[in-house]
Structures are given as C-alpha cells and as structure tokens.
C-alpha cells in the first residue's frame, strides 16, 4: 500500500513535470515565430528605405514593362539606328558632336539597307539667306536626294514657314570670326551634323551669297559620278602660299606638304569623317596658322592632301571673281545680272572632269548681293535650268 502510494506520487509528479515542459515549449514557439517575423519586417523596411533614397538621389526612374520592351526594341532595330534625327537641333556640345559623328561602320560602301545617297548642302551664313527663294525653286521636286544644314550666328532665329525646305534646318552654332579657326570649327560643325544622316554621301559648303548655276539633276549627277572630291590643294609659292607656313607646324606638316585652296568645297563621306575626327592637324593649325595665315584656306587642303593626294580634283566647284584687288572677292548686284553673264560662269575657265577636258567647271557662284535675287529668279528658268 505504501509502495503503491509512492508509485502514484512519482507518477503524478512526472506528469506534472511533463505538463510544465509542454506548456513552456508552446510558449517558446510563438516567441520564435514573432522574432522571425520582426526580423523579416525590419529587413523589408530597410530595403524600402534604401530604395527610396536611391530613387531620390541617383534619379533611378521606374519603367513599366511596356516601356522596357519598347526601349529594347528601339535599341535593337536597325531602322531606329539609321533613321536621321527628326530635327537638326540638339543639346550636344562640339566635343560630343564630333565624337558622335566620327563613329563609322567598318564595312564601308556595303549597307544592309536600301540607301539613296544624298548631297548635304551646308550653308555657312551670318544671318538670313537672301537667295532662299532661288534655292527653294532649285530643290523643288527632288526630295530624298538632298539634306540642308544652316550654320548662322547663335543669336539669329530664322522665320521660314513650315513649307520651306529651310524650315528647322538651323544647327546649334558658335560665333565665327573671318580668317580664324572659328571659321573651320563652324565648317566641322556643319559636317558633323550632316554625318549623323547615314544617307549623306557628298557634302557641299556654301555661303549665303552663293547661287546654283545648273539644275539639281545636273549637279547631282556631276557630283555623284565624279571619282574625285572638289577641293583646291595648290602648292603656291610667294607670300600668300608657302610664305604663310610656320616651321612650328612640323613634324606633322612639312613645308613641301603645305597647300592652299578655296574655302568652298565638295567632299565625299570618307573625307568628311577625316575632317571631323582630326585632332593632330587641328591643334597645329589653331596655334600656328593665324592672320596673315588664313586657316580656312590651308587647313583642310593640307590635311587631306597629305594622305589622299590622288583623290582631290584640286579645284573648287564655286566660281569667285578675285580679279579686283583686295582681301574679298567681287560682289555682283542687280545691274550685273544678265543672260550673257550667267551663261559664261560655268565655263569661266578650262578644267578636267574625271581626267577628261570639260566645258563645265563650276556648279555654283558667289558673291551676290541681295539685290540680285529678282533678276536671278527671272532668268533662272531659261539660263540656269530651274
């Protein structure tokens, strides 16, 4: 009896101990779950706070799935890469622009898309284009075969109507000083903007005082069928040629390599890329070719004739009258414009075209005063062909 009671007491005592242990286990389990939940909550909260700060300070923008898909499609579509900018206006500075324009495909003259080669007409002007009505008539009906770029003074804003070929064709510009490197920088700026259009194959530099001497089709065929680029590159003796050379130009440019040519040129795409990508000759000419060394007459003719002497026609396509003494060519006004005067301009001198004698040496002419517009418009259909 005593033993049974002892056994019962031990059994009761063991049961009570097990019960307390079970209760303690049930109490610990919810605490652990709560701790894990609190730890997870703190972790999520921390990530959220960090993300908010990243969005605020690093300007990370949230893109919807549709936007991401659209962006990816745009990057991987050839059409989006080759399509020319809708507007020639942009926010790139000169360094960014020249860098962007100097990028070229390594597979040249073999394009994986249907490409119609165009002529880029680049107008280097102070402000208005007084002969815009004449050029409008010249370009009419030839859309898709030309591009237009206008470099004017920074404070000038054109007012062409939306129907004009010059509408929104003004590029970002910088001030230009006659006879200084800023002139060539403006020309490089025009070339760089034109190179952004992969269809531009030939590049013609013009001024606001230039006029065309032939119709568009004639000029397009003349330029596109030529085996040479039209840039003067003369080894000229005397004070206005070799006399402008500085021995500080060496060793990059030797005296025997010094060349002179007209500012107004026509070049192909390869040469345009060479000019905008140049960093070697640019530094030399900027530092050591200053008036009375006029850099726009020497920089491009010299730098292109050194590596490509056999690919330049060594003449310009723009007629200019230098027969009168002075630093600037003759200017022709209303009273000078006659049928006989216009007819003789393309054949003003003898020349070669694709190594054969040619009767047509000039496609453009300058320098014309605004008063010449009216008689030019009157005579253009009969004499100029448009």
């Amino acid at each position: 009896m005593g033993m049974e009671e002892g056994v019962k007491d031990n059994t009761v005592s063991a049961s009570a101990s097990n019960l307390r242990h079970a209760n303690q286990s049930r109490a610990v389990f919810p605490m652990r779950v709560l701790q894990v939940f609190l730890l997870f909550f703190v972790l999520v909260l921390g990530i959220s706070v960090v993300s908010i700060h990243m969005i605020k300070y690093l300007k990370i923008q949230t893109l919807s799935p549709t936007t991401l898909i659209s962006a990816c499609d745009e990057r991987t579509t050839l059409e989006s890469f080759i399509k020319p900018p809708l507007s020639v206006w942009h926010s790139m500075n000169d360094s960014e622009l020249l860098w962007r324009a100097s990028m070229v495909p390594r597979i040249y003259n073999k394009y994986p898309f249907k490409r119609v080669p165009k002529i880029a007409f680049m107008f280097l002007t102070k402000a208005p284009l007084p002969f815009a009505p004449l050029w409008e008539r010249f370009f009419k009906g030839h859309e898709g075969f030309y591009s237009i770029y206008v470099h004017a003074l920074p404070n000038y804003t054109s007012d062409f109507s939306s129907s004009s070929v010059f509408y929104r064709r003004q590029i970002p510009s910088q001030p230009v000083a006659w006879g200084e490197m800023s002139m060539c920088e403006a020309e490089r700026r025009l070339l760089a903007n034109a190179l952004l259009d992969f269809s531009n194959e030939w590049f013609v530099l013009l001024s606001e005082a230039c006029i065309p001497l032939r119709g568009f089709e004639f000029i397009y065929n003349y330029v596109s069928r030529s085996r040479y680029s039209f840039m003067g590159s003369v080894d000229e003796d005397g004070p206005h040629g070799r006399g402008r050379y500085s021995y500080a130009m060496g060793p990059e440019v030797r005296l025997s390599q010094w060349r002179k040519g007209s500012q107004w040129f026509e070049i192909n795409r390869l040469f345009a890329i060479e000019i905008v990508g140049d960093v070697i000759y640019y530094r030399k000419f900027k530092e050591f070719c200053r008036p009375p060394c006029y850099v726009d007459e020497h920089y491009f003719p010299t730098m292109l004739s050194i590596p490509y002497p056999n690919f330049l026609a060594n003449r310009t396509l723009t007629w200019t009258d230098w027969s009168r003494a002075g630093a600037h060519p003759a200017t022709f006004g209303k009273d000078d414009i006659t049928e006989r005067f216009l007819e003789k301009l393309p054949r003003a001198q003898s020349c070669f075209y694709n190594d054969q004698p040619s009767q047509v040496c000039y496609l453009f002419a300058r320098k014309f005063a605004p008063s010449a517009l009216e008689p030019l418009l009157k005579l253009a259909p009969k004499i100029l062909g448009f």
Side-chain angles (χ1 to χ4, degrees):
M1 184 71 175
M3 290 178 62
E4 290 179 357
E5 288 179 356
V7 171
K8 289 180 179 179
D9 289 341
N10 290 336
T11 300
V12 172
S13 177
S15 298
S17 176
N18 291 336
L19 182 61
R20 283 195 302 272
H21 182 72
N23 288 337
Q24 289 175 357
S25 298
R26 282 194 292 268
V28 170
F29 180 74
M31 287 297 295
R32 288 179 178 174
V33 172
L34 182 61
Q35 289 174 350
V36 172
F37 176 77
L38 288 174
L39 180 62
F40 178 76
F41 178 77
V42 171
L43 181 63
V44 171
L45 182 62
I47 293 174
S48 300
V49 172
V50 172
S51 300
I52 291 172
H53 282 278
M54 288 177 67
I55 292 173
K56 180 177 180 181
Y57 294 105
L58 299 181
K59 298 182 179 179
I60 296 177
Q61 298 179 354
T62 304
L63 298 177
S64 65
T66 304
T67 306
L68 286 171
I69 293 173
S70 176
C72 290
D73 288 344
E74 196 169 325
R75 291 193 192 98
T76 56
T77 301
L78 178 63
E79 183 180 359
S80 66
F81 180 73
I82 64 176
K83 187 177 180 181
L86 296 176
S87 173
V88 296
W89 197 264
H90 54 76
S91 59
M92 289 184 285
N93 59 36
D94 279 358
S95 297
E96 295 167 339
L97 174 65
L98 295 176
W99 179 84
R100 171 64 183 86
S102 64
M103 293 191 297
V104 296
R106 295 183 65 86
I107 303 176
Y108 190 68
N109 279 344
K110 192 174 182 180
Y111 296 87
F113 59 91
K114 185 178 180 180
R115 178 179 182 263
V116 177
K118 297 190 295 185
I119 298 179
F121 291 84
M122 308 179 300
F123 291 85
L124 181 58
T125 175
K126 295 179 181 178
L129 291 170
F131 296 103
L134 186 68
W135 284 104
E136 295 269 8
R137 187 185 293 181
F138 169 80
F139 287 120
K140 187 176 181 180
H142 302 286
E143 293 75 14
F145 291 90
Y146 67 86
S147 301
I148 296 174
Y149 303 86
V150 179
H151 186 293
L153 294 177
N155 59 355
Y156 173 72
T157 303
S158 62
D159 57 353
F160 293 107
S161 66
S162 58
S163 61
S164 171
V165 296
F166 294 99
Y167 181 66
R168 293 184 177 178
R169 304 309 298 175
Q170 185 173 333
I171 67 170
S173 63
Q174 296 292 332
V176 175
W178 179 76
E180 297 184 5
M181 181 54 90
S182 60
M183 182 74 75
C184 291
E185 289 170 345
E187 295 169 11
R188 277 163 47 109
R189 205 172 289 124
L190 280 164
L191 287 169
N193 278 277
L195 281 169
L196 298 182
D197 186 341
F198 284 96
S199 293
N200 287 330
E201 184 64 28
W202 306 283
F203 305 78
V204 178
L205 182 66
L206 303 160
S207 76
E208 74 272 20
C210 286
I211 65 166
L213 297 178
R214 285 285 195 262
F216 184 90
E217 289 185 14
F218 185 95
I219 289 179
Y220 184 90
N221 291 332
Y222 194 100
V223 169
S224 62
R225 294 173 182 175
S226 174
R227 297 197 296 266
Y228 303 95
S229 286
F230 294 92
M231 177 177 287
S233 181
V234 181
D235 183 4
E236 181 180 310
D237 288 325
H240 303 300
R242 288 196 172 199
R244 295 175 177 176
Y245 175 80
S246 169
Y247 283 94
M249 299 288 293
E252 289 80 5
V253 180
R254 302 189 302 272
L255 177 61
S256 61
Q257 298 172 319
W258 185 254
R259 295 294 183 269
K260 180 182 179 181
S262 171
Q263 175 185 3
W264 314 104
F265 59 76
E266 178 279 323
I267 56 175
N268 61 29
R269 189 173 184 88
L270 173 63
F271 291 165
I273 294 169
E274 288 285 326
I275 289 175
V276 302
D278 172 52
V279 294
I280 298 175
Y281 300 107
Y282 171 81
R283 294 169 182 166
K284 287 287 185 175
F285 277 90
K286 185 172 184 178
E287 186 173 357
F288 300 112
C289 183
R290 300 180 180 181
C293 175
Y294 300 106
V295 67
D296 54 280
E297 295 181 351
H298 297 281
Y299 175 24
F300 299 156
T302 299
M303 71 157 285
L304 289 181
S305 67
I306 292 175
Y308 305 107
N310 299 322
F311 293 91
L312 299 178
N314 195 17
R315 66 182 178 92
T316 179
L317 292 177
T318 303
W319 177 84
T320 308
D321 183 4
W322 289 98
S323 62
R324 306 174 189 179
H328 300 281
T331 299
F332 300 92
K334 181 178 181 179
D335 296 336
D336 299 303
I337 309 304
T338 64
E339 290 188 20
R340 183 179 179 183
F341 172 73
L342 293 177
E343 285 175 339
K344 73 176 185 179
L345 293 184
R347 300 182 294 272
Q349 71 175 43
S350 60
C351 67
F352 284 83
Y353 177 76
N354 286 339
D355 302 320
Q356 298 297 322
S358 175
Q359 293 184 344
V360 178
C361 300
Y362 296 108
L363 304 182
F364 311 96
R366 68 186 300 271
K367 192 175 182 182
F368 292 87
S371 64
L373 176 62
E374 184 179 348
L376 284 171
L377 288 172
K378 183 179 180 180
L379 294 174
K382 181 180 179 180
I383 307 301
L384 305 182
F386 59 91

